[in-house]
Each structure stands twice: as C-alpha cells, then as structure tokens.
Amino acid sequence: MVMAREPMSNEDRSSSSDHRSWLDRISQAISGEPRDRDSLVEILRDGQRRGLLDADQLAMIEGALHVSEMQVRDIMIPRSQMVVVRRDATTDELLPPVIESGHSRFPVIGESRDDVIGILIAKDLLQFASAGNASTSFDMREVMRPALFVPESKRLDVMLKEFRASRNHLAVVVDEYGGVAGMVTIEDVLEQIVGEIDDEHDVGDDTYILSRRDEGSVIKALTPVEDFNEHFGTSLSDDEFDTIGGYVAHAFGHVPVRGETVSLEGHRFEVVRADNRRIHLLMVRPEEPAARDEKPGRRSVSH
C-alpha cells in the first residue's frame, strides 16, 4: 500500500531551502567561485551559523586552510628551549632529563647545539636502563636514529606530508646559514589544525599554575587574572580581560607565536604554546631590576 506523504510545512520548506542554498554556494566555491580563500571561509562560517557545522568542525577546517599559509618558523621550538642529549652521555646522565621532560624524542648533539647528529627515542633506552652494566654497555651510535633537517621556510602543509611519508615525528629546523634554529614535531603541526593536544605531561585540567624552582612558572593562558595576581603578587586589572592569556595577547597586539616575550608589571611572559587562534601556555619569570626601568609592556622575539 502506498502511503500518502504529508505536505511539507512552511518552516520545513524554508529550512530545506536554506540548506540547499548553502550547499549550492559550497558547490560554487569548490568549482571555482568565489576565487579567494576569505570568501570560502565566510561561506563556511555562514554554514556554522545555520547549524550545518559545529564550532569545532569549523575551527578544524579553518586550521587546515591556515597551515598552508604558515611556515615552520612560526611554530618551531627555539633552539634555546630544545631539550637535547649529548652523544657521549651515559644512561645515568640521560635518564634525569628524559624523565623530567616527559618527551619521547631528543636531538643528539656533538660539540654544540648546532651539531645535531641524530635523534634518540626514549623507549630505546629501556633495554639499557634496567641492566646492571647499563653505563658501560650503552652506545649512543647504536641506538640513535637519523635526524630529519628542514628549512625554516617550509610550509606546514608540506611539513605534515613529509612527516607522514618519512614516518618521523620530529624534525630539526635549520636557518639559511645551516645553523640549528630549533625543532618542530608532528604534534606541533597537528595542533594548528585541531587545537591543543594535551597529554599526561601537560598541566592538568584543575591546575592553572605549575611552578618550577629555577626556570620560572609555566601557567595556563586560561588562568584567571585574579588568581594570577594572588599567586604572583601583581595588580593586573581584570576589568577588560578575565584570563591572563587575554591580557597578554592584548599587550602583544596580535596572537603571538611560540618564543615571543613581553614584559608586564615586573614579570616577563614568554609564549610556550600557541596556535593561530590563541595562546595556550606561558612561561613567567621575574624580571631583572635593570630591565624593569625600561618602558613597561615592551615586546621582543627570542629564537
């Protein structure tokens, strides 16, 4: 028996028309109209407003589009912040930095940080760590892997393809003169698309401030300004911004990249982790008395 279909209501007809209209615009964009990326992004945002995409999906699409405009230098870990191991180190010397950092891969250096000769994977140490004669049987040359070197100017979308093709998770970044400028990981690239990726070594959800005795304090950008003031004895205003990340981003005047620094109220803020949309982690250090006499809010970029 053939059932008669109920007539479509005006509301359903209007909704169907809106969806079809939006999908038609997407089809036009894919076929070449509009021809610029900004127009395409605006169509996608329109789709999000209509409920065809949620905010996370839109953010990932925009992130995927954005990586083709970014270069490795925009997200790399500066050379000064690289956790490295020496070629002639014993397991007794290697285990403390490996355990403390929580990283899985480490550049192996010879005479200096410019002399990267390979990559040590932490799990390769396991067979030696528990052996009684570990310090004498361990030979770095037998366990380290070849290092992947890439220029600062390499686009992130190309970098991601290279990571996938080579099955490497870490690359050493070199400048135009061949010196080591820093390093980049596959996680750094993916975070530009999907946002921050937390692991067991990141600051916990219930923790905003993680103090380190010698290096300063690592804090989440989501730390309330009020909590920051209480912890550091500062008097930053929370009239305009609720979080320290918003306050610091305003001081920069743009969304900063990793390694950028700014001085505020006697403290130096260094961006530890950020993507193209917002800051995630900051390193905070008390500023030297001489530097406090300079103009407050000054900015600099360290690599």
Side-chain angles (χ1 to χ4, degrees), residues 90-151:
T90 65
T91 52
D92 291 339
E93 295 169 332
L94 289 170
L95 286 176
V98 168
I99 295 172
E100 181 180 350
S101 69
H103 300 325
S104 60
R105 289 167 173 79
F106 303 85
V108 180
I109 63 172
E111 298 300 322
S112 69
R113 286 176 176 261
D114 275 324
D115 183 23
V116 176
I117 60 175
I119 301 297
L120 174 67
I121 298 180
K123 67 179 182 180
D124 291 337
L125 282 173
L126 295 179
Q127 59 181 315
F128 297 97
S130 59
N133 59 345
S135 59
T136 57
S137 64
F138 179 77
D139 187 343
M140 182 71 77
R141 291 171 297 181
E142 293 181 359
V143 297
M144 71 178 182
R145 314 293 180 91
L148 172 64
F149 295 92
V150 300

Side-chain angles (χ1 to χ4, degrees), residues 153-187:
S153 59
K154 183 179 284 290
R155 292 204 325 260
L156 291 192
D157 57 338
V158 178
M159 185 73 257
L160 184 57
K161 290 179 182 177
E162 189 165 347
F163 273 138
R164 293 177 60 189
S166 66
R167 297 186 179 182
N168 284 299
H169 286 207
L170 182 151
V172 178
V173 184
V174 295
D175 59 27
E176 59 183 313
Y177 303 106
V180 174
M183 70 180 194
V184 64
T185 69
I186 191 171
E187 180 179 306

Side-chain angles (χ1 to χ4, degrees), residues 212 215-219 228 232 244 248 264 266-270 272 282-287:
R212 295 183 178 179
E215 300 178 16
S217 300
V218 174
I219 68 170
F228 180 89
F232 292 96
I244 195 64
V248 170
L264 298 167
H267 288 79
R268 190 171 183 84
F269 295 81
E270 179 178 346
V272 175
L282 291 160
M283 172 72 79
V284 183
R285 299 180 179 90
E287 209 167 30

Side-chain angles (χ1 to χ4, degrees), residues 223-231 234 236 238 241-244:
T223 303
V225 173
E226 182 180 356
D227 290 358
F228 180 89
N229 285 335
E230 181 178 349
H231 184 87
T234 54
L236 301 177
D238 58 359
F241 305 99
D242 295 327
T243 67
I244 195 64

Side-chain angles (χ1 to χ4, degrees), residues 60 187 190-198 275 277 280:
M60 281 192 286
E187 180 179 306
L190 291 175
E191 285 186 336
Q192 305 308 309
I193 301 174
V194 302
E196 184 179 9
I197 302 172
D198 289 324
D275 57 31
R277 293 179 288 274
H280 294 289

